[in-house]
Amino acid sequence: MTEHRVLPARPPACMAPLALADPPPLSPVAQTRFVEEPEDQTVVAGQKIVLSCVVLNYSGIVQWTKDGLALGMGQGLKAWPRYRIVGTADSGQYNLEITDAELSDDAVYECQATEAALRSRRAKLTVLIPPEDPTIDGAPEILLRAGTPYNLTCRARSAKPAATIVWYRDGLQQDGAITSTEVLADGKRETTTSQLTINPTDLDIGRVFSCRSTNDAIPAGKETFVKLNVHHPPTVTLSIQPQTVQEGERVVFTCMATANPEIKGYRWAKGGVIIEDAKENKYDTQVDYTFFTEPVSCEVHNDIGSTNVSTLVDVHFAPRIVVDPKPTITDIGSDVTLTCVWSGNPPLTLTWTKKESNMVLSNSNQLYLKSVTQADAGQYVCKAIVPRIGVGEREVTLFVNGPPIISSEAVQYAVRGDRGKVECFIGSTPPPDRIAWAWKENILEAGTLERYTVERTNTGSGVLSTLTINNVMDADFQTRYNCTAWNSFGPGTAIIQLEEKEVLPVGIIAGATIGASILVISFLVTLACFLYRRRKGSRKDVTLRKLDIKVETVNREPLTLHADREEDTASVSTATRVMKAIYSSFKDDVDLKQDLRCDTIDTREEYELKDPTNGYYNVRAHEDRPSSRTVLYADYRNPGPARYDTRPPSRLSHSSGYAQLNTYSRGPASDYNAEAAPGPGPPPGTAGGETASQLSYENYGGHAAFPAGAGYATYRLGYGQPPSLDRAPYDAYDPMGKYASATRFSYTSQHSDYGQRFQQRMQTHV
């Protein structure tokens, strides 16, 4: 049951205290009491709120107080236009209605039944104030610089209670904001400030951040936005095309850049050295091995700053020396390290070896030799190998100080009676301080002693001491020569024996030289002929055969015998012998083969001439006449019996074709008065430009073996018949029958020195 407190008499705040009369005694049946009392409530500013107050069995004055201040009596509270009492007195309702709640309404309210001296419990009315629209410093767009941290600041003012601020980036909530509040002068409202730290980059250009403020008055909150504009130096990407190249090839560098604000220019450099002729975003050049170790850089700048990006080129190149090995001098027993550094791409393989040895001593840049001896002295090879690219090597000399080492031959030679030399070579380090020769009872370091002279010569690899002996004698070959050298590490000795050298006589040497020269020349000649035969024999498509060409002799003038010619005609028997010799098939074949082969080639091999015209002048013989033997006549130039001497060898023309000699049949002597029908003849200077001796002849008629008109050619030598011949003039042609087949030979036409008045010509039929 609600307790009712009797209020002490106190005057209202805005009116004179009332004089209250003593209340009438209450009837125990009708006791005054509060049925409903106001309760704590919350209202959002601008909304309406009703505070309840219902008094039972009371008909007196009821009033409301606000923070202890009486608001007045009656239904309408004129001093408080937004306040009014609602309800009916009959029902005991005295509710307080507040419209358009304001912050000033935020107070403690109490309902009083003054005549009954009753007070309700106090009710706290809380007025909620939503924050003002949040604001972001610099909105709606903030200009930032990439790489420079910045605090985004959002404020939510005049909120009750204080607003809560949440940040979002492109709709995603952001954590890490720092929030602070500030109480306003009224002591009830607060302003909330939130800061979000960002480190902007070029990727944040155009990015949107938002801040949302909320409190109990506005749970959905209020939101505001800001857009970022980030100025940044150029962002650069450097690429190479192609990415892997051989030394000497061309590559293109491409510098892709973005910037805000815009790009102002490009600058290229290699190994830190500016490339003056490169101004654009591409650089085309030919690369060498330096591009593998010296980077190419592209620098792009704008108003904010510049960005430099560099890269190396994957250039494949042969080994290049970086650190040359240096000659080293050390003492016996010391440790030695030889260093050799190469560069190459792809990665190279390095080996250390001793010169003239294949044993690999090390595969690193350094060769370590422990406790060296004089045997370790010499040249070492540092070799670098880049697979499929190239090889490089360097030689370095290691000098090991020690006693002299003599490396001369133990046996040396000289010629008796000549000047002889005995040499002693000292190749160790340090160089010898003294060199002495000793033989028999003699000791000589330098100068001349009788027939002996000592000379010292410094070479690049050591010292050579020479003992020269004038007029070497037998005793010198029986003597042992001692060569001793000294340096700071001690002596070194070598014993040398001189032996006699046999000398071959000059005649033998000259003969051997000449014989060898002859053999070489003979071999070369034989080889040349063999190659020539191979070349000639390879012409398989050009072959000249028998009966390929028919040659006719046509007389253009009548055959008339003149007395002067008959007087010069040789005897028939002699002519017969001559013709037999001429028509000797054996001799023709031998002469032919001798002219067509080298004298050094085996004559047993068959030789077949080839047709240089490739069959163009393929000439057929007359089918209605038997072919006669083709002959090459000897040239009878001297008068008298000498005309019948043995025929000289024929000269064959390789450029002429094979010819077959044939003559037309002649009629009786009575028919010789008519001129022979003209026909085509060979031009002056026969085929190939070569000539052969030809016997001038006339046709004979009436021969028993070759009757006229029988299809056989009748011949007559153009010389007078000697009276001493026993045989008939035509006996010379008896053997002609067995030579009816044609024989191959090179034929050239030439006018005889004993030509007759009628002209002969060669007529070929194709």
Side-chain angles (χ1 to χ4, degrees):
M1 211 172 153
T2 306
E3 253 184 45
H4 300 283
R5 294 176 297 164
V6 178
L7 297 177
R10 53 184 182 180
C14 44
M15 62 181 66
L18 297 176
L20 298 177
D22 293 335
L26 298 177
S27 170
V29 178
Q31 185 177 3
T32 300
R33 58 185 178 86
F34 285 102
V35 178
E36 290 185 13
E37 295 182 73
E39 296 180 353
D40 294 341
Q41 293 188 54
T42 300
V43 64
V44 177
Q47 295 180 354
K48 181 177 70 174
I49 186 68
V50 176
L51 299 177
S52 298
C53 180
V54 177
V55 182
L56 184 63
N57 300 323
Y58 180 74
S59 60
I61 298 173
V62 175
Q63 68 175 4
W64 285 86
T65 62
K66 175 184 176 181
D67 289 337
L69 178 65
L71 299 179
M73 296 180 294
Q75 294 288 329
L77 301 176
K78 296 182 180 179
W80 308 91
R82 295 182 294 106
Y83 293 5
R84 73 187 182 98
I85 302 298
V86 293
T88 61
D90 295 341
S91 61
Q93 293 181 347
Y94 300 93
N95 298 328
L96 178 62
E97 180 186 86
I98 303 173
T99 59
D100 297 328
E102 296 178 353
L103 180 62
S104 60
D105 299 330
D106 188 275
V108 176
Y109 292 85
E110 185 178 78
C111 179
Q112 297 177 356
T114 58
E115 294 181 3
L118 296 177
R119 292 180 178 178
S120 70
R121 64 170 174 262
R122 294 180 179 181
K124 171 64 177 172
L125 178 61
T126 302
V127 179
L128 303 179
I129 308 296
E132 298 177 1
D133 291 339
T135 61
I136 298 177
D137 294 351
E141 183 173 294
I142 301 176
L143 179 61
L144 304 178
R145 183 164 183 167
T148 302
Y150 183 80
N151 290 325
L152 292 175
T153 302
C154 179
R155 291 181 173 86
R157 295 179 174 87
S158 303
K160 182 179 180 297
T164 300
I165 296 177
V166 178
W167 286 95
Y168 296 90
R169 186 185 75 173
D170 292 338
L172 298 177
Q173 183 175 337
Q174 302 294 298
D175 298 327
I178 298 175
T179 302
S180 63
T181 59
E182 178 186 359
V183 179
L184 300 183
D186 57 18
K188 294 182 178 180
R189 293 176 298 168
E190 295 178 276
T191 296
T192 303
T193 302
S194 178
Q195 290 185 333
L196 178 65
T197 302
I198 63 173
N199 190 6
T201 66
D202 58 324
L203 300 178
D204 293 324
I205 296 177
R207 196 177 300 282
V208 175
F209 282 80
S210 65
C211 101
R212 180 181 299 171
S213 61
T214 61
N215 69 353
D216 294 341
I218 182 169
K222 296 181 179 180
E223 192 171 12
T224 188
F225 302 88
V226 66
K227 184 178 182 180
L228 302 187
N229 182 13
V230 182
H231 278 188
H232 64 92
T235 301
V236 182
T237 301
L238 183 58
S239 62
I240 308 172
Q241 189 63 33
Q243 296 182 351
T244 301
V245 295
Q246 300 290 334
E247 186 174 18
E249 294 181 349
R250 302 192 70 84
V251 298
V252 177
F253 297 87
T254 302
C255 196
M256 301 297 296
T258 58
N260 185 26
E262 64 183 5
I263 295 172
K264 295 296 184 180
Y266 297 84
R267 186 169 65 175
W268 293 87
K270 175 179 175 289
V273 179
I274 301 298
I275 303 172
E276 298 295 342
D277 57 347
K279 301 293 184 181
E280 303 299 328
N281 69 324
K282 289 189 176 183
Y283 173 48
D284 186 344
T285 185
Q286 186 179 30
V287 298
D288 57 16
Y289 72 97
T290 60
F291 283 78
F292 186 71
T293 55
E294 298 178 7
V296 173
S297 62
C298 171
E299 182 180 278
V300 188
H301 64 276
N302 64 357
D303 292 338
I304 301 301
S306 62
T307 304
N308 191 306
V309 178
S310 61
T311 184
L312 293 171
V313 183
D314 186 16
V315 183
H316 287 186
F317 60 95
R320 296 270 180 173
I321 192 68
V322 177
V323 177
D324 252 321
K326 297 180 180 179
T328 302
I329 301 176
T330 188
D331 294 339
I332 291 179
S334 301
D335 297 339
V336 175
T337 300
L338 302 177
T339 302
C340 175
V341 180
W342 293 86
S343 67
N345 189 40
L348 54 80
T349 300
L350 192 143
T351 60
W352 280 95
T353 59
K354 194 171 184 181
K355 193 171 183 180
E356 299 179 357
S357 173
N358 294 326
M359 180 180 294
V360 176
L361 304 176
S362 174
N363 291 113
S364 66
N365 292 331
Q366 293 183 331
L367 172 62
Y368 178 71
L369 300 175
K370 186 176 182 180
S371 300
V372 296
T373 64
Q374 285 183 291
D376 295 323
Q379 289 184 315
Y380 290 82
V381 179
C382 174
K383 179 182 291 187
I385 303 173
V386 176
R388 299 182 300 277
I389 301 297
V391 178
E393 65 178 38
R394 287 290 189 275
E395 294 183 359
V396 61
T397 304
L398 173 64
F399 300 96
V400 179
N401 292 330
I405 297 177
I406 300 174
S407 57
S408 296
E409 296 291 337
V411 177
Q412 301 183 23
Y413 299 90
V415 178
R416 187 193 309 271
D418 288 348
R419 173 179 293 183
K421 291 184 178 181
V422 184
E423 295 180 341
C424 180
F425 181 78
I426 301 95
S428 56
T429 57
D433 301 322
R434 294 176 52 204
I435 303 175
W437 288 89
W439 69 99
K440 296 181 180 178
E441 304 298 328
N442 303 314
I443 297 177
L444 184 61
E445 293 187 13
T448 302
L449 177 63
E450 297 177 354
R451 295 184 297 114
Y452 303 94
T453 302
V454 173
E455 296 176 341
R456 174 171 173 166
T457 304
N458 292 324
T459 65
S461 56
V463 177
L464 177 64
S465 179
T466 304
L467 174 64
T468 303
I469 307 173
N470 292 323
N471 192 16
V472 177
M473 301 179 179
D474 290 338
D476 298 326
F477 297 117
Q478 309 300 325
T479 303
R480 293 181 178 272
Y481 300 90
N482 183 315
C483 175
T484 302
W486 293 266
N487 64 11
S488 57
F489 288 85
T493 300
I495 305 298
I496 301 173
Q497 176 70 42
L498 188 64
E499 293 188 359
E500 185 175 1
K501 181 180 180 181
E502 297 293 338
V503 179
L504 292 176
V506 177
I508 296 177
I509 297 175
T513 303
I514 294 173
S517 301
I518 292 174
L519 289 176
V520 171
I521 293 173
S522 300
F523 172 76
L524 294 177
V525 171
T526 303
L527 180 61
C529 292
F530 174 74
L531 295 177
Y532 176 77
R533 285 174 55 85
R534 289 282 299 273
R535 182 176 66 84
K536 296 294 288 184
S538 63
R539 301 178 183 175
K540 298 180 179 180
D541 296 336
V542 182
T543 305
L544 299 182
R545 306 178 183 277
K546 299 178 181 181
L547 301 179
D548 285 342
I549 301 176
K550 175 181 178 182
V551 180
E552 296 181 356
T553 303
V554 181
N555 294 333
R556 298 179 58 183
E557 295 183 3
L559 297 175
T560 57
L561 297 177
H562 300 279
D564 53 349
R565 296 197 178 273
E566 291 180 357
E567 292 174 359
D568 295 335
T569 302
S571 64
V572 175
S573 61
T574 303
T576 301
R577 291 193 298 270
V578 172
M579 294 305 292
K580 287 182 177 180
I582 291 175
Y583 287 102
S584 173
S585 61
F586 175 79
K587 186 170 181 59
D588 284 346
D589 293 340
V590 171
D591 291 343
L592 178 62
K593 292 181 179 179
Q594 287 179 346
D595 290 338
L596 299 179
R597 67 167 179 257
C598 297
D599 293 339
T600 57
I601 302 300
D602 188 1
T603 60
R604 293 174 297 176
E605 182 178 355
E606 182 181 359
Y607 190 94
E608 184 178 9
L609 293 177
K610 305 298 180 180
D611 183 4
T613 65
N614 199 22
Y616 184 84
Y617 295 104
N618 188 18
V619 184
R620 299 188 303 273
H622 288 287
E623 299 177 357
D624 56 346
R625 290 185 176 86
S627 58
S628 63
R629 175 145 183 97
T630 303
V631 296
L632 183 66
Y633 291 87
D635 188 3
Y636 297 94
R637 298 183 182 275
N638 297 325
R643 295 173 180 159
Y644 304 103
D645 293 342
T646 304
R647 174 172 65 92
S650 300
R651 292 178 295 163
L652 301 180
S653 172
H654 290 280
S655 62
S656 63
Y658 289 96
Q660 181 178 1
L661 182 61
N662 198 359
T663 58
Y664 291 108
S665 301
R666 305 294 184 182
S670 60
D671 297 335
Y672 291 165
N673 294 328
E675 291 185 1
T686 56
E690 298 183 12
T691 61
S693 300
Q694 176 180 331
L695 181 62
S696 180
Y697 57 88
E698 294 179 355
N699 289 349
Y700 285 79
H703 191 272
F706 304 95
Y712 295 93
T714 57
Y715 296 88
R716 179 181 178 182
L717 296 175
Y719 305 99
Q721 178 179 356
S724 59
L725 295 177
D726 297 333
R727 299 183 60 181
Y730 304 105
D731 290 343
Y733 299 97
D734 289 341
M736 288 296 291
K738 64 181 180 180
Y739 300 108
S741 61
T743 303
R744 292 177 301 164
F745 74 103
S746 176
Y747 184 84
T748 57
S749 177
Q750 174 179 338
H751 292 292
S752 171
D753 293 340
Y754 304 97
Q756 300 175 6
R757 293 182 181 178
F758 65 90
Q759 298 179 0
Q760 299 176 359
R761 57 189 176 85
M762 306 299 292
Q763 179 172 343
T764 60
H765 295 267
V766 180

